[in-house]
Amino acid sequence: MAAPLTLLLIVAVTIRAVLFRSSLAELISARVEVVSPLNAWKRVVEGLALLDLGVSPYSGDVFHEVTDGITALALYLSIQTYNKDVFRKQKYALESDRYSADCLELLRSPKEMFYIPLKVAMFYLLNPFTILSCVAKSTCGLNNAIIALFIFCTLKGSALLSGILLALATYQSIYPLTLFAPALLFFLQRLYIPVNLRRSSFWFFTLQYAFMYVGSLVVITGLSFFLLGSWDFIPSVYGFIFSVPDLTPNIGLFWYFFAEMFEHFRLFFSCVFQINVFFYTIPLSIKLKEHPVFLIFMQIAIISIFKSYPTVGDVALYMAFLPAWSHLYRFLRNIFLVSCVLLACSALFPVLWHLWIYAGSANSNFYYAITLLFNFGQILLVADYFYAYLRREHHLTHGLYLKKKDGTEATLVLK
Amino acid sequence: DSDPVGFDSLDLNERRGRSTDAELDRRDGTRTSEALTPAAAARDEFQEELVIRPLHSGDIYASFQFRTLWDTDFLQEGQKVSHYRLFPKSLGQVLSKFSVRELHISFTQGFWRTMQWGQPFIPSPPGAELWVWFHDTVSDVDGNWKELTNVLSGIFCASLNFIDLTNTVQPSASFKPLGLGNATDHRFLRYATLPREIVCTENLTPWKKLLPCGSKAGLAVLLKSEKLFHSSFHSQAVHIRPVCQDEQCTSKAWELRQTLNVVFDLYTAGQGKKEWSLFKMFSRTLTEACPLATSSKVYVDITDNPELFELSPATPLLSQAVVLGDRRTYSVYDLSRAETFGQLRSLNLLLRWKGDGEMLRPLLHAERYVAGFGLQTGEIHTVIYNNHPYRAFPVLLMDSVPWYLQLYIHTLTVTSKSRDNKPSYIHYQPAKDRHRPHLLEMLIQLPPHSMTEVTVQFERALLKWTEYTPDPNHGFYVGSSVVSALVPSMVAMNTNFTQDQPLFSSFVPVKEESSYFVRVYTEPLLVNLPTPDFSMPYNVICLTCTVVAVGYGSFYNLLTRTFQVDEPSLPLAKRLANLIRRIRGVPLLT
């Protein structure tokens, strides 16, 4: 498997290198869909220039290609580990007769799972969103790399490294905090500790992991304080993320909402929108406590959709996971609609931006409409995969061909 | 006649008493008991002058200066001054309440075209400009500044209350005090400009009220608003600063200079004829000097006479002055002498052009414009011209850019003669969103006979819809850049302090012979920002919340419901039958 992966990495690096050298690099790094005030390279360079006026800024394209490679490699290895895990659990479940008799078609075979890690890496590296993000030199690539490494360390079972990487990811943008729950659930599952709030073994491990995570976070924050000499970075980074003062248009839902809001309600709606990112964690964790890796995917998707300054690089990260759930294809209901919506929106974003900002013949509503549609498509995609996953689980335990009381073929509904 | 002009009818709360009548000093509008003690050797002094300079394009430039020297026990802590003679009480109270050391405020309509008109005596940027030096004893400068702007807004009937922290800067080098005192701590300096401010009669009237003679006598009778605002350029300013009263600086005084610069256009006000007179310009003639003034003079720049134009009535008085690096000759009309007014008891100067001439090119000139297209990014270009044939000199460029145009300082380039020209001093204070504007000050050495271009890129922000003005598609103004320099002079400047120096040459203190101080203001910029649709707040809230609700709804469904086999529900008839059967106790239908 090393050879196809190496080939893939070479192709990916070539595409990025070509784009870096072309004139498109300038254009792409100015696109609002790809860079946001939080991760624009231009702002990093500006910050460096302010620190020392007159120093020529570091161009750094190699740095961004490397982070993409790290992400892809980490995802590849994680999915490989995960697949082994899945196959092993399936074997145990079959041996203990937990599956019903007629769901043979739903079982996964090593043959089917062989190419999945490569597909995952390919989905990430060759995704136009990732390429655009890399060529724009957005620091989103770095964020993705850290989250991918975190997933890799979690799946390999190293709690300390996973805690440190998660702290690093949280330090960059506060939203990966929600990934604490799936990581915890994974470790508990791995160590065969039942998730029961009354048992001391559960609390013992939870506190250990929490301590590692919070401790690393404190260390990193303290290091920043010593390096910068003041606590100013806390309000300027986290305050910036939470209070959304910069209304530069992006692919998210926040910018126009806060641009058009009455001052009176600003605090209320800021709180509502931020809580919206965090409050799905507990219910999802309860529902998916047996399936922490799918929970990680769901959490990353929710963060990418509802965070305050999303970019296409964030979208690319959770889209990379989709080949891992390719066995759910038969249960997906809206996949055609969703792919059409996402493709159309991706094409329309630059067009309507140009019409608004440069041609002057459209106004902000056009771009806003596409933003709404794009996020709606993403929500539909994630909800669809969630539905398909739950349905497959239901069929595994209750049988694939279900019959109604009178013997005719039944339809399954959510009630 | 003790009251030829009708001072009795003046508003007693504001008017000062007359210098000649000690008894009338008691009618001073102040409510103090000091009225019983005679004013102790009051040496308040008032001078007025008008300079008329014909310009080569056929336009005419008139510059009024009214100077009041207020001899008072200099502003010390705790000393309340309540005796006002010629100095306006409103401004005196402002000075003492806010511990102001220097105050410069100007209202300008129009832009000064340096290349066509030369250098003005008192430069000013379009709109309103206010810069103030506070005393070192002030503890809360920002609080004083805020109150001061509101009080001045009331005094001058201008909307200076729009000056707040988002358009105030503290320049570190460009605005040194013009009066006494060597202040180096720029924490006590505040500078703000409102390029959008419009000047009209409502601003001229309170300005005229500050003059000792009002607009009833002296040169101020010429200040009629319907003619003054029918001009290409109109600027009225108030400058207050502490000065020395004599060469050894044994006593100090407050100097209040009210200046009014106006340029009348050849075609709109002059009807195309290159012939100007006081009556044509101001629709009034001069009949007498202000009785409170110690000197009241009219200077006409005749350096280009007699080849260029002829001046009547002739006057024997001539004066030479070195101003703005050039030796100019002036015909002087002394209004305190009766013979100036001639037989008709009125003075109406007449200037008739005879030919065209070459104008002396101003040595320093600056322009500014916005480059780029679209509403996302742009570039500010400032071009500074050094027209001196062989001398290079440094200039200090100050730029204050509002926070919603995010400057990228790493894209700052300064090129002279297509080569990089690194500034020797850069002071940059980045903006804080909604708190502070950008401040960029640079010391650039201009090579001789060259054009220097300073470019910096910026990005336009999308504002909250309440932060837009009612006409957002008009654009947002960026205040003028200020270019300050000591320009090498062709002629030796006069560094001596003389009591009877004409006012126009003594505005800026001359420290050395070989150069003179020049301040050039560039054009203000008008920048368009992307606007949201202002009719949409409710719609946006509904639509965004709908998408969020779709997400919430899908997840809620999947989290709280389980899969079940769908048993079809019975048709209505069968259900009713089942109801009856249940009552009867008979088995139900399926």
Side-chain angles (χ1 to χ4, degrees), chain A residues 40-258:
Chain A
W41 188 248
K42 206 171 181 193
R43 306 241 176 168
V44 172
V45 161
E46 178 70 9
L48 287 174
L50 286 177
L51 275 177
D52 186 349
L53 278 172
V55 172
S56 63
Y58 169 59
S59 58
D61 10 335
V62 175
F63 171 69
H64 292 94
E65 288 172 24
V66 164
T67 51
D68 266 354
I70 292 176
T71 315
L73 198 60
L75 285 176
Y76 177 90
L77 295 170
S78 324
I79 296 295
Q80 218 174 29
T81 319
Y82 173 61
N83 280 348
K84 289 194 193 122
D85 224 14
V86 159
F87 190 66
R88 203 177 37 137
K89 283 216 200 88
Q90 195 176 255
K91 205 164 69 137
Y92 292 158
L94 276 173
E95 282 168 10
S96 54
D97 268 341
R98 275 204 282 139
Y99 291 161
S100 77
D102 59 351
C103 63
L104 282 171
E105 303 165 23
L106 295 177
L107 294 176
R108 306 181 68 184
S109 62
K111 186 159 161 267
E112 168 225 333
M113 296 199 288
F114 185 67
Y115 279 111
I116 288 182
L118 186 65
K119 280 195 210 163
V120 165
M122 192 166 69
F123 256 55
Y124 185 75
L125 281 175
L126 299 181
N127 190 346
F129 289 159
T130 330
I131 297 178
L132 284 177
S133 224
C134 177
V135 174
K137 296 191 235 179
S138 152
T139 56
C140 189
L142 186 62
N143 288 357
N144 288 356
I146 294 181
I147 295 179
L149 282 172
F150 154 72
I151 295 173
F152 174 61
C153 293
T154 311
L155 288 175
K156 277 295 183 198
S158 158
L160 178 66
L161 272 179
S162 147
I164 293 172
L165 284 164
L166 185 62
L168 208 57
T170 312
Y171 170 74
Q172 281 192 320
S173 65
I174 204 134
Y175 298 110
L177 176 65
T178 56
L179 294 174
F180 179 78
L184 181 66
L185 285 171
F186 183 83
F187 283 121
L188 289 173
Q189 199 184 61
R190 200 162 188 274
L191 298 172
Y192 301 107
I193 301 173
V195 182
N196 188 344
L197 276 101
R198 276 183 282 254
R199 295 185 93 136
S200 61
S201 51
F202 166 77
W203 284 113
F204 185 61
F205 184 78
T206 310
L207 286 169
Q208 262 188 318
Y209 188 57
F211 179 71
M212 282 191 272
Y213 169 60
V214 172
S216 330
L217 194 57
V218 165
V219 165
I220 295 172
T221 318
L223 267 175
S224 327
F225 171 68
F226 283 122
L227 278 174
L228 294 171
S230 70
W231 291 111
D232 282 347
F233 71 99
I234 290 186
S236 57
V237 177
Y238 305 122
F240 187 81
I241 294 175
F242 282 134
S243 61
V244 195
D246 189 317
L247 299 170
T248 317
N250 50 50
I251 60 170
L253 297 161
F254 276 74
W255 61 278
Y256 206 49
F257 191 82
F258 284 106

Side-chain angles (χ1 to χ4, degrees), chain A residues 30 46 50 53 245 247 256 259-261 266 280 298 353 357-358 364-365 368 379 394 404 410-411 413 415, chain B residues 374-376 408-410 428 434 462 464-465 532-533 536-537 540 544 551-552 555 558 562-566:
Chain A
E46 178 70 9
L50 286 177
L53 278 172
L247 299 170
Y256 206 49
E260 294 269 11
M261 192 191 306
R266 188 163 294 274
Y280 288 112
M298 290 286 295
W353 176 258
I357 297 288
Y358 294 102
S364 49
N365 291 335
Y368 169 64
I379 290 173
H394 179 89
K404 285 197 283 212
T411 47
V413 291
K415 275 218 186 107
Chain B
L375 294 175
Q376 192 177 4
Y408 286 107
I409 276 304
H410 68 275
Y428 176 61
R434 301 182 175 91
L462 187 72
K464 301 180 192 168
W465 76 311
D533 188 344
M536 289 277 285
V540 166
T544 308
Y552 174 79
F555 288 128
L558 291 165
T562 52
F563 285 101
Q564 286 167 27
V565 176
D566 180 30

Side-chain angles (χ1 to χ4, degrees), chain B residues 100-276:
Chain B
V100 168
R101 202 170 71 211
E102 264 193 45
L103 184 137
H104 301 268
I105 184 168
S106 72
F107 299 95
T108 311
Q109 177 84 347
F111 178 67
W112 183 268
R113 289 164 225 276
T114 314
M115 288 310 272
Q116 287 154 294
W117 300 337
Q119 295 283 4
F121 292 120
I122 319 269
S124 54
E129 185 202 40
L130 170 67
W131 57 283
V132 174
W133 274 96
F134 290 94
H135 263 274
D136 319 17
T137 53
V138 174
S139 54
D140 178 18
V141 184
D142 283 330
N144 274 25
W145 171 252
K146 189 169 156 59
E147 280 191 47
L148 175 66
T149 51
N150 281 293
V151 165
L152 288 174
S153 176
I155 293 177
F156 291 105
C157 282
S159 41
L160 297 174
N161 51 318
F162 285 125
I163 294 178
D164 54 16
L165 290 173
T166 60
N167 50 19
T168 308
V169 289
Q170 299 175 37
S172 62
S174 299
F175 284 91
K176 291 291 179 216
L178 287 176
L180 282 182
N182 42 359
T184 45
D185 194 352
H186 64 276
R187 281 182 301 132
F188 295 101
L189 168 64
R190 292 290 185 276
Y191 174 87
T193 168
L194 292 174
R196 219 188 148 116
E197 188 69 16
I198 300 180
V199 188
C200 55
T201 316
E202 267 111 44
N203 307 115
L204 184 62
T205 313
W207 188 90
K208 283 196 290 189
K209 271 202 197 163
L210 298 172
L211 296 170
C213 283
S215 52
K216 307 228 189 292
L219 291 171
V221 299
L222 296 177
L223 302 177
K224 288 280 164 260
S225 47
E226 60 269 8
K227 280 299 203 175
L228 278 182
F229 289 104
H230 193 61
S231 56
S232 311
F233 178 83
H234 169 100
S235 169
Q236 63 200 50
V238 169
H239 300 276
I240 305 177
R241 59 184 176 171
V243 289
C244 290
Q245 280 201 324
D246 52 20
E247 188 123 2
Q248 290 80 22
C249 216
T250 47
S251 64
K252 307 193 184 106
W254 283 107
E255 180 194 75
L256 163 69
R257 277 198 197 221
Q258 287 179 255
T259 65
L260 194 138
N261 292 354
V262 61
V263 174
F264 291 101
D265 184 60
L266 172 66
Y267 295 103
T268 51
Q271 291 128 28
K273 280 198 293 211
K274 283 189 175 180
E275 189 184 292
W276 290 101

Side-chain angles (χ1 to χ4, degrees), chain B residues 221-487:
Chain B
V221 299
L222 296 177
L223 302 177
K224 288 280 164 260
S225 47
E226 60 269 8
K227 280 299 203 175
L228 278 182
F229 289 104
H230 193 61
S231 56
S232 311
F233 178 83
H234 169 100
S235 169
Q236 63 200 50
V238 169
H239 300 276
I240 305 177
R241 59 184 176 171
V243 289
C244 290
Q245 280 201 324
D246 52 20
E247 188 123 2
Q248 290 80 22
C249 216
T250 47
S251 64
K252 307 193 184 106
W254 283 107
E255 180 194 75
L256 163 69
R257 277 198 197 221
Q258 287 179 255
T259 65
L260 194 138
N261 292 354
V262 61
V263 174
F264 291 101
D265 184 60
L266 172 66
Y267 295 103
T268 51
Q271 291 128 28
K273 280 198 293 211
K274 283 189 175 180
E275 189 184 292
W276 290 101
S277 70
L278 278 186
F279 191 78
K280 193 172 179 191
M281 291 196 280
F282 303 108
S283 72
R284 283 288 298 265
T285 57
L286 292 167
T287 49
E288 61 167 338
C290 171
L292 298 170
T294 52
S295 104
S296 177
K297 295 199 170 101
V298 176
Y299 292 83
V300 181
D301 188 337
I302 54 165
T303 321
D304 304 310
N305 213 14
E307 318 86 46
L308 207 56
F309 61 92
E310 70 179 37
L311 172 66
S312 67
T315 172
L317 293 171
L318 282 179
S319 151
Q320 280 219 335
V322 180
V323 61
L324 296 173
D326 197 16
R327 183 174 297 280
R328 316 286 297 182
T329 316
Y330 295 90
S331 282
V332 183
Y333 295 83
D334 192 346
L335 298 180
S336 49
R337 295 212 223 152
E339 55 266 20
T340 320
F341 297 102
Q343 286 215 314
L344 299 166
R345 304 282 188 109
S346 95
L347 175 65
N348 184 16
L349 298 171
L350 188 63
L351 291 94
R352 198 178 291 119
W353 256 250
K354 288 204 289 214
D356 291 317
E358 268 295 310
M359 188 183 75
L360 192 70
R361 267 182 83 159
L363 291 177
L364 182 64
H365 170 53
E367 286 173 349
R368 194 159 80 141
Y369 57 91
V370 173
F373 61 95
L375 294 175
Q376 192 177 4
T377 53
E379 241 179 43
I380 298 182
H381 289 242
T382 312
V383 184
I384 313 174
Y385 296 90
N386 174 5
N387 293 325
H388 202 286
Y390 51 86
R391 288 281 301 273
F393 54 88
V395 297
L396 198 58
L397 171 67
M398 186 189 95
D399 248 321
S400 167
V401 177
W403 64 267
Y404 39 82
L405 300 181
Q406 293 142 354
L407 290 182
Y408 286 107
I409 276 304
H410 68 275
T411 57
L412 176 71
T413 58
V414 183
T415 45
S416 302
K417 292 182 171 170
S418 45
R419 267 182 310 157
D420 231 5
N421 179 357
K422 202 162 144 35
S424 49
Y425 166 75
I426 298 185
H427 172 240
Y428 176 61
Q429 201 183 43
K432 228 174 173 187
D433 272 10
R434 301 182 175 91
H435 280 116
R436 212 171 53 198
H438 298 274
L439 173 67
L440 175 63
E441 279 184 278
M442 293 189 291
L443 186 68
I444 309 172
Q445 184 80 3
L446 299 181
H449 205 68
S450 66
M451 178 186 96
T452 305
E453 190 161 347
V454 178
T455 60
V456 63
Q457 283 181 8
F458 65 88
E459 221 173 72
R460 303 172 209 225
L462 187 72
L463 305 177
K464 301 180 192 168
W465 76 311
T466 46
E467 289 171 347
Y468 287 90
T469 51
D471 52 349
N473 290 302
H474 177 74
F476 285 77
Y477 282 94
V478 179
S480 315
S481 294
V482 186
V483 179
S484 325
L486 279 173
V487 179

